[in-house]
Amino acid sequence: IEVMEAEYPSTRQMLGAHEFAVACRRFIARNPSRSRTLNRMSEKFPEYLARYLPRGPRRGVAVDVARIERAMEDVFDAPRSEPMTAAQFAAIGADQWERVRLNVNPALRLLTLRYPANEYMNAMRAGRKPRVPRPRKTFAIVYRRGYSVFRRDQELEPFKLLTALVAGRVLAAAVRASIGGRSGSADRLAAKLGAWFREWAAAGIFTGTDRLG
């Protein structure tokens, strides 16, 4: 249980020490570790909470918080890789977008959430006692930069672009899939993409390119 307390501190804070401990004991009894290490023992704990906790917003938020904390554990243990720089991004000309695929940092997870769970976690970790929020679909990314793990919310358009790039689509196809004809002028599109890729370069989201053909 001590391992799971370290892995899911915000989930524990939300449920309370007693209810969290009971859930952990029942989870372990139903999912005994078959690995030599404890790293993967609790990877299905968020799915277990979705079945174990009573229905309602509290369950939904707790499950989403647990999913974020699971992703934080996963990216911390992911292989290390050298990130691309903003200059390397800038060197990819628009005429190359149909042939360039970006390689994704293995220490990245994309999460579609039913509740604003990342905001809720921020409030709890700041020492506040937030109310359980109403359902609202949100998108979050969890990633490691160096030896530190970060989590942040993403708006729908950049999240869709990241999802397409993670799926292995070339740059041009990923942009079309995520933005389509809703971007306005070419200058506005270039400004949006430039801002997103500068943000992702600073986060170390991508590690290199593959050029097709």
Side-chain angles (χ1 to χ4, degrees), residues 85-130:
T85 65
Q88 289 173 309
F89 276 117
I92 304 173
D95 60 327
Q96 304 174 51
W97 283 21
E98 292 286 357
R99 304 188 306 276
V100 171
R101 179 185 294 135
L102 296 177
N103 298 323
V104 181
N105 191 329
L108 169 70
R109 298 293 183 273
L110 307 180
L111 300 174
T112 299
L113 306 168
R114 294 179 56 223
Y115 290 81
N118 194 49
E119 292 178 11
Y120 188 85
M121 285 178 67
N122 289 337
M124 284 197 299
R125 294 195 174 193
R128 300 194 294 273
K129 295 181 179 180

Side-chain angles (χ1 to χ4, degrees), residues 10 60-69 71-72 111-126 128 130 133 136-143 149-154:
S10 295
V61 178
V63 170
D64 278 353
V65 168
R67 290 182 62 208
I68 293 172
E69 293 188 309
M72 294 172 71
L111 300 174
T112 299
L113 306 168
R114 294 179 56 223
Y115 290 81
N118 194 49
E119 292 178 11
Y120 188 85
M121 285 178 67
N122 289 337
M124 284 197 299
R125 294 195 174 193
R128 300 194 294 273
R136 174 166 58 87
K137 193 174 186 178
T138 60
F139 309 93
I141 64 173
V142 180
Y143 60 94
V149 173
F150 302 90
R151 54 185 170 81
R152 66 170 66 165
D153 289 311
Q154 289 274 266

Side-chain angles (χ1 to χ4, degrees), residues 28-186:
I28 293 169
R30 290 165 173 76
N31 300 272
S33 178
R34 294 178 173 84
S35 173
R36 295 181 180 179
T37 68
L38 296 177
N39 292 16
R40 312 303 303 178
M41 181 187 72
S42 67
E43 62 183 351
K44 295 183 179 179
F45 188 56
E47 290 82 354
Y48 174 75
L49 290 179
R51 299 190 304 270
Y52 165 75
L53 295 176
R55 289 185 179 183
R58 182 172 175 270
R59 178 177 72 176
V61 178
V63 170
D64 278 353
V65 168
R67 290 182 62 208
I68 293 172
E69 293 188 309
R70 180 67 251 167
M72 294 172 71
E73 290 295 315
D74 290 344
V75 302
F76 184 80
D77 292 330
R80 184 177 176 83
S81 58
E82 191 65 29
M84 287 180 70
T85 65
Q88 289 173 309
F89 276 117
I92 304 173
D95 60 327
Q96 304 174 51
W97 283 21
E98 292 286 357
R99 304 188 306 276
V100 171
R101 179 185 294 135
L102 296 177
N103 298 323
V104 181
N105 191 329
L108 169 70
R109 298 293 183 273
L110 307 180
L111 300 174
T112 299
L113 306 168
R114 294 179 56 223
Y115 290 81
N118 194 49
E119 292 178 11
Y120 188 85
M121 285 178 67
N122 289 337
M124 284 197 299
R125 294 195 174 193
R128 300 194 294 273
K129 295 181 179 180
R131 292 183 178 179
V132 174
R134 294 180 178 180
R136 174 166 58 87
K137 193 174 186 178
T138 60
F139 309 93
I141 64 173
V142 180
Y143 60 94
R144 190 187 71 226
R145 177 72 166 171
Y147 294 101
S148 298
V149 173
F150 302 90
R151 54 185 170 81
R152 66 170 66 165
D153 289 311
Q154 289 274 266
E155 296 296 328
L156 176 59
E157 281 190 340
F159 186 85
K160 288 176 68 176
L161 177 54
L162 267 181
T163 300
L165 293 170
V166 168
R169 305 187 76 167
V170 296
L171 267 170
V175 170
R176 287 193 295 268
S178 58
I179 298 177
R182 303 183 301 278
S183 58
S185 69

